[in-house]
Amino acid sequence: MRNFLRQFSRDRVGVVFGLILIAIYIVAITAQWIVPSDPYKTQLSQGMRPPSWEHWFGTDQFGRDMLSRVILATQVTAKITTSALLFAVLLGVPIGMIVGYHGGWLDEIIMRITDIMLIFPIIMLAIVIVVIAGPSERGVVIALGMSQLPQFIRIARGVTLSVKQELYVEAAIAAGAGWPFILRRHIWPNISTPVIVQATLTLPVFVLNASALSYLGLGVQPPTPEWGQMLNEAKELLIAAPYLIIGPSVALFLFVISANLLGDSLQETLNPKTKGQRMKREFQKFSRRGLKPGKMRVERAARAEIQR
Amino acid sequence: MTTHKKRVARGVAYMAAAATINAAPLFAQDMEPQYGGELIYAQSGEKFSLFPGRNTDNGAQDIWLNACENLFEINEDSELVPVLAESWEVSDDEKTVTIKLREGVAFHDGTPFNGEAVAFVFNEAKEKEFIYMSLLEGFDYADAPSENEVAFHLAAPFAALLPNLAYKPLCIFSPTAYQEMGEEGMATKIVGTGPFTHEEYVKGEYNLFVKNENYWQDELPYLDSIRMLVVPDPATRTAMLESGEIDRTVQISDFDLPRLEANPELTVRTMASTRQFYVVLNHMKAPFDNQDVRLALNYAIDKAGIVQSVFAGTGATVPMAPTLSPGVYGYTDMRKDGEDSIFQYDADKARSMLTDAGFEDRNGDGTIEGEDGTELSFKLWTRRGGTKGDYQVAQLLQAFLGEIGIGIDLEVMEGAAFSAAVSQPPEDAKYEMALLSWGIPTADPDEPMMYFTHTKAWKPKGANRMFFSSSEIDRLADLAHTTTDQEKRKEYVVAWMAQLLEEAPVIYLPTIHLTLGSRSYVHGDRILATDNYPAVSAWIDQEEKARQGIKR
Amino acid sequence: MLRLIVSRLIFMVLAAFLLLSFLFALFHLIPGDPAQLMAGDNAPEHLVQSIRAAYGFDQPLTTQYFNYMGKVLQGDFGLSNYSRQPVLDIVFPRIVNTAALAGCAMLLAMTTSLILGSFSAMFWNRPLDKGVTVVSLIGICTPVFVTGIIGIYVFAVWLRWLPIGGMSTWKHFVLPVATLGAYQAAIFTRMVRSCMVDALSRDFITTARAKGAPERTVVFHHALRNALLPIITLFGLGLGHTLGGSVVTETIFNWPGLGRLMVDAILSRDLPVLQGSIFFFAIIFILVNLIVDILYTWADPRISYD
């Protein structure tokens, strides 16, 4: 751990944006107490005021302070994306470990299903799932979580498959240890690092797609503020009050860029740099967005290309 | 039967006397109309059906009025003028109205327009229970005494028959086309006698109307075609108008008006209308069957605040009477002395009324509960961009009702789904609250009295989506419907409004002003108090259009 | 090679089959009477009855399932709840419009990223490279609806150079294509750069340089040709991604494409149209995927698939 921190602290970009991300999360957690005014309180006589010292991002049509709404939206977004990550990790990792350990027809079925899901871009999967789950915070959590489930299943399965062949695991099996014990004791410790890296890399994807869903009217519903939804409403007043797009855009951008850069740095620190690492990472990142069944194959192909 | 021409529709007389709420037409009268060109008109949402018998949506009316004409029309001066009719006679017992029809008119499919066709439309409407039938309460059957005459046989004298025939959904479509295509076919292709034929329907994109070369008015129309685009977002429509991508649009945000008005290349016309927002409360669901709750909801809404923040203070007026607006016969200011609107905003009063009715916050969660512990928490259905400001009004309602401890979830639906969902009979209606707006296209109180609040007008027949039923309100409406004494009738109307204030079947909201924005080279198009914007007599000044640099 | 194609085709059929099952399940996952859902909320009872009979909603689930499969395989997705047109007639023109948007955006993204990525690699770790890296990072972190709204404000509302809404002239293509293409270009540029940096660090490049080949030839001839294989795959994958991004882009710019049709169908509860648009989107993704795989194997026979 200390080793990791020492290495990580050398990466200045990572540290800076890591701190920004921490600050964003502090804002999210303390949103109720730090908002300058009640984000739900309408003041009809104070509608559509341009940015000023009193209202940094102006006020919306109903006189609600945009800064306060942006701050509360940070909490909403952090809550949704973190829940969706937990959903994907807590469901995907056990499934991946179990099918990886036992193999057989179940493994085959699950892998084929993930193959198929990986064909579709995350936003398409999320839209379809949100139709069934209903347009709400909960619906977005389920939609995002489900759409990234295959990634976590695959990672957990891959690690399980390779660790299972280690001598000490084989010895444990020979000694008659049950599979739950082996999964917990021997395989889980090896999974945590790649899962953490994958989770950090998934975070900005979730943020972007959660706000895209809300922009389309399929996500968070008013009066709960959400960046995508606020931008959608600002678009209706684009001519009369263009400043309304500033707050949500800036917040969204800051969250996504710090999560992205922190993810990059973490991965570089946790996975020691090898030849072709950079390439592989780009592909991984791309696959997160583009999603395709041949992800592993393409990576292998890309690596083959590099290592010849 | 008397043979002299007699003005049966008492509506006509007082309508001429009613205050003219139109601005004078702005187009230059001395300019010679030019032929040719395509008019591009952007409208808000998609319509679930273009068949007039199943849809009374105003936007849809604006589409089919290009192709389908009524027997009568109510013009800018709120006068009843004949269109496909020429004259009319009423029998002595006032139970038969015979209308002489214009000769030499043909439907777009080539079949003749005659007494038989008109009679077919109304008999079919009665048999298939077309959505507007409660407007024709008392109508028995129609027949064709001769080739160019149609006779309406009434079970009881019926004062508002003629103005009601001017309501756009009662347009005369081709019976032949109807029998061939059915209601479903007519939903995407309307066949009537109008100046334009419906050439193309592209779902979610546009409707194309092309000049009817055989139109019965020789000079008309001027335009070669009208293309009606679906553009849901008002800001997009406004920007498109400014850049000259489209020639005209409606339902513009009031915040954009000053900028549009300052642009010399645009013409912006605004007029007061009869279109009043209201919230349907489904009386089939508790606690909306409770009159005290409904009254409290009315007091909880800051009507002036809505006018200020959604309509920029200028695009709407607070309601001064339930349902009726200035310009409608019998309209009377029903506000109490010193109050700015009916049910003047008073959140404290609303709260205490709810407490008295047994609704209070028993578990301290901020939402109030009834005596049996059920929370006052509802879904409010709304459209977005159907009528200007609808989604914003819904958000404010959520805020105001939240203030008095009533939880509201918004359910936004696209136009077609919304219209369909709020057109269900009581057993199928799933909404608790829905935000709608209501206009009085005939400028006559008979329409709201018979079509809106009457027990006989429960959906799917009329527009009583509340499933509201009050014997007193029905009684007053029936009296006004059948009386021939104008003074008496006005008395009944006022009593009817007073009773509405007692019972509050809906939440009353502001009345909006209508706005039509067009490029300044468009002349001759009209804006009607009925929230219709016919472009059938419009023409384009090609020189001016070229000067503005618009090549299309 | 043939084995690969056959195995991918089997995979495709499997995917399509699962997809159809999912669409069938959609009737039963969304609460309500399926016949009523098919017919629309406002449908008269006789219509609901006829749909119930036609789709056999009163029969056992297994029978319904096979009937549904049969209908869909014949291209019958039913009628739109509202306009009562066949779903196929509504969907096909939309596919063309979406293809036009996504195709132009892809072209833009590919050219931009090849140029920027190559130059960035050529000037590795120099100001130009750093500039490109930062700009592409910003591009990746800005969602299309932010770029789109800013684009509308600047070019349509403020400067009034470009139209918005619809797709009637070439000018209508500029903003949507730029919005969608820029986002894609940002992603591509980073990866093209990586591929090129990698290729430039190879031994044969050093050899070429030692032989005195001009730098331009080294980069654009030797390195680019060697980096082309992963780049082609990348672009193939990117096509699917671009189609996904078109959903939001079409909504912003009122583009009459398949993505907006799908969103409209959700908001208007038009289940037949929703099913049709999901189906065709999915078929497109599956096809794109198949083509990428085949292209890749064809380009590099050393890659074999298990």
Side-chain angles (χ1 to χ4, degrees):
Chain A
M1 186 67 190
R2 191 183 301 158
N3 192 26
F4 159 74
L5 278 179
R6 197 181 322 130
Q7 266 191 7
F8 183 75
S9 62
R10 270 188 232 133
D11 185 346
R12 242 179 296 158
V13 176
V15 170
V16 169
F17 282 94
L19 287 176
I20 294 182
L21 195 66
I22 290 173
I24 291 175
Y25 268 91
I26 292 175
V27 166
I29 292 164
T30 59
Q32 278 92 337
W33 300 285
I34 61 167
V35 284
S37 55
D38 181 353
Y40 293 112
K41 176 77 190 155
T42 56
Q43 266 191 297
L44 301 188
S45 56
Q46 298 292 313
M48 288 164 73
R49 294 279 186 275
S52 64
W53 181 241
E54 211 176 328
H55 303 287
W56 292 3
F57 293 144
T59 64
D60 72 1
Q61 193 172 4
F62 308 136
R64 297 178 297 200
D65 177 37
M66 283 297 277
L67 176 63
S68 307
R69 288 181 70 72
V70 167
I71 290 174
L72 191 65
T74 311
Q75 183 180 62
V76 172
T77 307
K79 203 163 71 185
I80 287 177
T81 49
T82 313
S83 316
L85 270 182
L86 283 176
F87 183 100
V89 170
L90 294 183
L91 204 60
V93 171
I95 293 178
M97 281 165 71
I98 290 169
V99 299
Y101 187 84
H102 288 293
W105 59 270
L106 188 67
D107 180 42
E108 194 59 31
I109 290 176
I110 300 263
M111 283 299 105
R112 288 293 85 81
I113 292 177
T114 59
D115 271 356
I116 291 170
M117 283 179 79
L118 285 164
I119 296 180
F120 304 104
I122 170 168
I123 185 76
M124 296 296 295
L125 283 174
I127 287 177
V128 172
I129 297 169
V130 102
V131 169
I132 300 164
S136 62
E137 277 180 51
R138 201 194 50 157
V140 178
V141 169
I142 294 174
L144 294 180
M146 285 290 288
S147 63
Q148 289 299 74
L149 206 52
Q151 313 291 12
F152 289 95
I153 293 180
R154 281 180 162 278
I155 286 176
R157 177 179 175 271
V159 176
T160 311
L161 277 179
S162 66
V163 176
K164 204 181 146 191
Q165 284 158 9
E166 299 277 340
L167 266 181
Y168 65 95
V169 177
E170 281 179 5
I173 297 174
W179 64 269
F181 174 81
I182 291 175
L183 286 185
R184 201 170 59 235
R185 185 67 176 270
H186 297 302
I187 296 182
W188 171 244
N190 290 293
I191 285 180
S192 54
T193 305
V195 164
I196 288 172
V197 170
Q198 180 66 27
T200 332
L201 293 173
T202 307
L203 184 62
V205 182
F206 275 177
V207 174
L208 284 177
N209 284 288
S211 54
L213 282 178
S214 297
Y215 179 86
L216 294 174
L218 305 174
V220 179
Q221 299 295 317
T224 312
E226 203 282 340
W227 298 327
Q229 178 224 90
M230 290 165 83
L231 282 166
N232 185 346
E233 279 166 22
K235 192 186 167 228
E236 280 195 26
L237 292 166
L238 192 60
I239 300 170
Y243 45 83
L244 291 179
I245 63 177
I246 300 172
S249 316
V250 169
L252 187 53
F253 177 73
L254 216 55
F255 198 158
V256 174
I257 200 168
S258 22
N260 256 330
L261 287 172
L262 178 71
D264 284 3
S265 300
L266 271 187
Q267 194 171 34
E268 238 159 281
T269 318
L270 288 171
N271 300 348
K273 224 171 189 171
T274 53
K275 196 180 178 192
Q277 192 60 43
R278 203 181 190 92
M279 172 81 195
K280 184 187 167 197
R281 211 173 59 237
E282 292 298 343
F283 266 101
Q284 271 181 352
K285 226 187 278 172
F286 184 75
S287 315
R288 266 184 296 121
R289 298 189 177 90
L291 297 183
K292 66 153 275 166
K295 185 197 126 189
M296 292 300 174
R297 283 180 222 121
V298 171
E299 265 179 40
R300 205 160 60 225
R303 244 176 291 151
E305 177 68 15
I306 290 157
Q307 282 162 1
R308 68 171 162 190
Chain B
M1 189 185 282
T2 51
T3 48
H4 68 277
K5 187 170 161 179
K6 179 181 168 187
R7 296 202 132 189
V8 263
R10 276 151 294 266
V12 181
Y14 54 72
M15 249 183 294
T20 305
I21 47 178
N22 281 56
L26 282 178
F27 59 91
Q29 301 275 15
D30 50 344
M31 282 179 74
E32 191 68 28
Q34 300 172 12
Y35 284 87
E38 176 169 272
L39 183 89
I40 302 187
Y41 171 16
Q43 257 198 336
S44 61
E46 196 186 352
K47 315 304 172 215
F48 80 82
S49 170
L50 291 183
F51 180 61
R54 294 292 170 224
N55 189 359
T56 52
D57 181 88
N58 268 76
Q61 294 176 26
D62 251 23
I63 295 175
W64 75 60
L65 61 76
N66 290 302
C68 193
E69 292 172 304
N70 289 51
L71 295 175
F72 297 92
E73 184 181 77
I74 293 176
N75 71 6
E76 285 92 332
D77 300 324
S78 296
E79 291 163 344
L80 189 76
V81 289
V83 179
L84 290 176
E86 265 184 348
S87 61
W88 59 94
E89 315 163 343
V90 178
S91 65
D92 288 333
D93 63 357
E94 297 192 344
K95 281 188 172 176
T96 304
V97 180
T98 310
I99 295 172
K100 188 167 177 331
L101 304 172
R102 202 170 284 281
E103 286 176 44
V105 179
F107 291 110
H108 297 153
D109 59 2
T111 54
F113 166 82
N114 54 26
E116 230 167 275
V118 178
F120 174 85
V121 167
F122 289 100
N123 290 332
E124 186 74 6
K126 180 162 170 120
E127 194 192 328
K128 297 278 164 67
E129 295 196 334
F130 283 6
I131 189 166
Y132 52 69
M133 270 317 287
S134 66
L135 276 182
L136 298 180
E137 186 62 40
F139 166 74
D140 198 5
Y141 69 97
D143 58 13
S146 74
E147 172 72 11
N148 285 305
E149 275 181 321
V150 64
F152 287 86
H153 301 276
L154 310 176
F158 171 15
L161 175 66
L162 296 195
N164 286 357
L165 288 177
Y167 186 35
K168 298 293 180 201
L170 281 76
C171 75
I172 312 300
F173 51 82
S174 158
T176 318
Y178 170 81
Q179 278 159 336
E180 272 170 21
M181 305 190 292
E183 279 184 21
E184 293 185 11
M186 281 270 194
T188 55
K189 184 168 176 62
I190 179 76
V191 181
T193 60
F196 294 91
T197 56
H198 193 186
E199 279 305 309
E200 216 184 328
Y201 167 93
V202 182
K203 184 182 154 63
E205 288 181 61
Y206 63 87
N207 278 281
L208 179 67
F209 290 88
V210 175
K211 183 174 187 168
N212 173 9
E213 297 293 347
N214 303 318
Y215 189 50
W216 54 271
Q217 294 192 63
D218 289 338
E219 314 272 284
L220 290 172
Y222 302 114
L223 296 168
D224 287 339
S225 57
I226 297 181
R227 187 179 292 267
M228 308 189 81
L229 305 183
V230 176
V231 184
D233 178 31
T236 304
R237 289 201 300 272
T238 308
M240 288 170 89
L241 180 67
E242 286 189 283
S243 65
E245 273 176 81
I246 54 171
D247 297 313
R248 74 198 301 248
T249 189
V250 293
Q251 312 290 2
I252 302 165
S253 164
D254 291 297
F255 292 100
D256 293 335
L257 286 186
R259 174 183 161 125
L260 298 184
E261 279 162 353
N263 185 340
E265 293 184 346
L266 301 179
T267 312
V268 178
R269 272 167 282 175
T270 302
M271 70 179 287
S273 80
T274 58
R275 181 152 295 273
Q276 196 175 67
F277 272 111
Y278 68 99
V279 176
V280 170
L281 305 170
N282 186 344
H283 294 212
M284 290 287 136
K285 306 199 178 209
F288 299 125
D289 50 352
N290 184 332
Q291 183 172 313
D292 295 326
V293 172
R294 301 196 302 261
L295 287 169
L297 293 180
N298 268 289
Y299 285 111
I301 309 300
D302 181 358
K303 270 79 78 178
I306 291 176
V307 171
Q308 166 98 42
S309 79
V310 179
F311 303 105
T314 53
T317 48
V318 293
M320 294 179 288
T323 307
L324 302 195
S325 332
V328 177
Y329 179 75
Y331 164 81
T332 312
D333 189 341
M334 300 296 286
R335 292 178 293 182
K336 295 199 185 97
D337 284 341
E339 299 202 332
D340 68 357
S341 72
I342 53 167
F343 299 113
Q344 171 149 293
Y345 176 47
D346 189 342
D348 292 329
K349 183 171 182 176
R351 264 185 226 108
S352 69
M353 284 178 85
L354 283 175
T355 313
D356 293 344
F359 296 93
E360 54 191 326
D361 189 1
R362 287 159 217 276
N363 54 13
D365 65 349
T367 308
I368 54 179
E369 290 94 28
E371 270 149 8
D372 56 354
T374 45
E375 289 211 332
L376 287 197
S377 194
F378 308 106
K379 272 214 154 84
L380 172 62
W381 294 14
T382 180
R383 290 177 64 173
R384 182 162 187 178
T387 306
K388 69 171 182 182
D390 45 11
Y391 181 60
Q392 287 75 14
V393 170
Q395 283 180 283
L396 277 183
L397 291 172
Q398 185 179 42
F400 291 135
L401 294 177
E403 285 286 304
I404 62 164
I406 295 178
I408 298 288
D409 283 327
L410 293 185
E411 177 112 0
V412 181
M413 286 193 195
E414 199 270 325
F418 184 76
S419 317
V422 296
S423 304
Q424 300 295 310
E427 60 276 14
D428 294 334
K430 296 176 192 84
Y431 50 86
E432 293 165 325
M433 304 170 91
L435 176 69
L436 284 110
S437 63
W438 162 268
I440 305 172
T442 53
D444 188 291
D446 188 64
E447 206 215 4
M449 290 173 102
M450 299 307 292
Y451 192 64
F452 187 37
T453 50
H454 204 288
T455 310
K456 284 181 182 161
W458 280 20
K459 275 283 168 196
K461 284 180 186 161
N464 190 339
R465 303 177 154 94
M466 302 76 76
F467 312 113
F468 166 69
S469 178
S470 155
S471 53
E472 179 62 10
I473 281 175
D474 289 354
R475 190 184 68 86
L476 290 165
D478 289 337
L479 284 172
H481 188 68
T482 45
T483 187
T484 50
D485 180 340
Q486 285 308 312
E487 278 312 302
K488 266 256 156 58
R489 187 157 180 252
K490 186 162 181 173
E491 271 172 41
Y492 293 138
V493 172
V494 173
W496 175 78
M497 287 195 290
Q499 190 62 29
L500 285 181
L501 291 181
E502 292 285 316
E503 303 194 28
V506 298
I507 302 179
Y508 293 100
L509 297 171
T511 307
I512 56 169
H513 295 169
L514 305 177
T515 313
L516 171 64
S518 49
R519 302 293 300 183
S520 59
Y521 51 73
V522 178
H523 301 280
D525 61 341
R526 300 187 295 161
I527 171 169
L528 302 181
T530 53
D531 200 5
N532 292 127
Y533 309 87
V536 292
S537 55
W539 56 275
I540 291 172
D541 183 348
Q542 300 291 353
E543 219 173 283
E544 174 65 15
K545 184 174 170 181
R547 197 194 62 74
Q548 292 182 10
I550 289 162
K551 300 177 212 98
R552 259 192 267 108
Chain C
M1 186 68 192
L2 194 69
R3 251 190 72 206
L4 163 79
I5 295 178
V6 170
S7 84
R8 298 310 291 161
L9 277 175
I10 292 173
F11 174 73
M12 223 183 107
V13 170
L14 185 76
F17 174 76
L18 275 180
L19 175 71
L20 288 180
S21 312
F22 173 77
L23 291 180
F24 173 76
L26 211 57
F27 283 125
H28 300 277
L29 286 171
I30 295 177
D33 170 17
Q36 188 79 49
L37 277 171
M38 273 298 272
D41 276 341
N42 61 323
E45 186 54 32
H46 69 90
L47 189 65
V48 178
Q49 293 290 1
S50 71
I51 285 180
R52 188 168 290 138
Y55 281 82
F57 282 127
D58 40 2
Q59 288 165 347
L61 269 181
T62 45
T63 320
Q64 283 188 41
Y65 181 66
F66 289 115
N67 283 348
Y68 179 74
M69 290 286 179
K71 288 247 181 230
V72 169
L73 290 178
Q74 291 163 32
D76 180 2
F77 286 89
L79 304 176
S80 156
N81 279 351
Y82 304 108
S83 66
R84 318 272 357 139
Q85 291 170 293
V87 168
L88 275 188
D89 293 1
I90 300 172
V91 168
F92 275 131
R94 298 298 190 112
I95 294 178
V96 176
N97 296 349
T98 296
L101 173 64
C104 293
M106 272 301 287
L107 273 181
L108 177 72
M110 291 194 300
T111 23
T112 322
S113 62
L114 277 178
I115 295 169
L116 285 182
S118 306
F119 275 106
S120 201
M122 207 167 140
F123 297 96
W124 186 74
N125 226 359
R126 306 245 284 276
L128 179 82
D129 177 36
K130 287 182 176 163
V132 168
T133 309
V134 169
V135 168
S136 57
L137 181 68
I138 292 175
I140 286 176
C141 296
T142 318
V144 284
F145 49 90
V146 171
T147 0
I149 292 176
I150 294 174
I152 290 177
Y153 184 68
V154 174
F155 295 105
V157 174
W158 188 31
L159 298 172
R160 301 211 200 154
W161 288 351
L162 294 169
I164 41 170
M167 51 175 293
S168 35
T169 65
W170 67 268
K171 278 187 171 180
H172 285 89
F173 278 70
V174 177
L175 273 177
V177 167
T179 303
L180 185 55
Y183 186 69
Q184 220 52 52
I187 297 178
F188 287 173
T189 304
R190 277 164 71 97
M191 279 179 287
V192 169
R193 178 182 167 276
S194 297
C195 295
M196 289 294 286
V197 166
D198 202 80
L200 281 169
S201 64
R202 297 289 175 62
D203 295 342
F204 66 88
I205 296 289
T206 325
T207 317
R209 284 200 177 114
K211 281 184 187 162
E215 187 64 16
R216 214 179 325 128
T217 321
V218 171
V219 172
F220 290 103
H221 190 74
H222 294 96
L224 187 59
R225 214 174 51 179
N226 270 280
L228 218 51
L229 192 62
I231 290 176
I232 287 176
T233 325
L234 170 74
F235 286 163
L237 297 177
L239 182 58
H241 192 199
T242 312
L243 284 165
S246 68
V247 177
V248 180
T249 314
E250 287 173 4
T251 311
I252 302 170
F253 293 100
N254 212 39
W255 190 270
L258 194 55
R260 189 164 72 92
L261 183 72
M262 186 171 85
V263 175
D264 283 352
I266 294 171
L267 292 176
S268 64
R269 278 54 163 186
D270 198 341
L271 194 62
V273 173
L274 178 61
Q275 286 182 318
S277 42
I278 293 177
F279 180 79
F280 283 100
F281 253 127
I283 291 294
I284 293 171
F285 290 128
I286 292 172
L287 277 177
V288 165
N289 192 66
L290 178 74
I291 292 168
V292 169
D293 278 352
I294 291 174
L295 200 73
Y296 196 84
T297 333
W298 170 76
D300 186 354
R302 278 167 305 152
I303 310 299
S304 66
Y305 286 77
D306 35 328

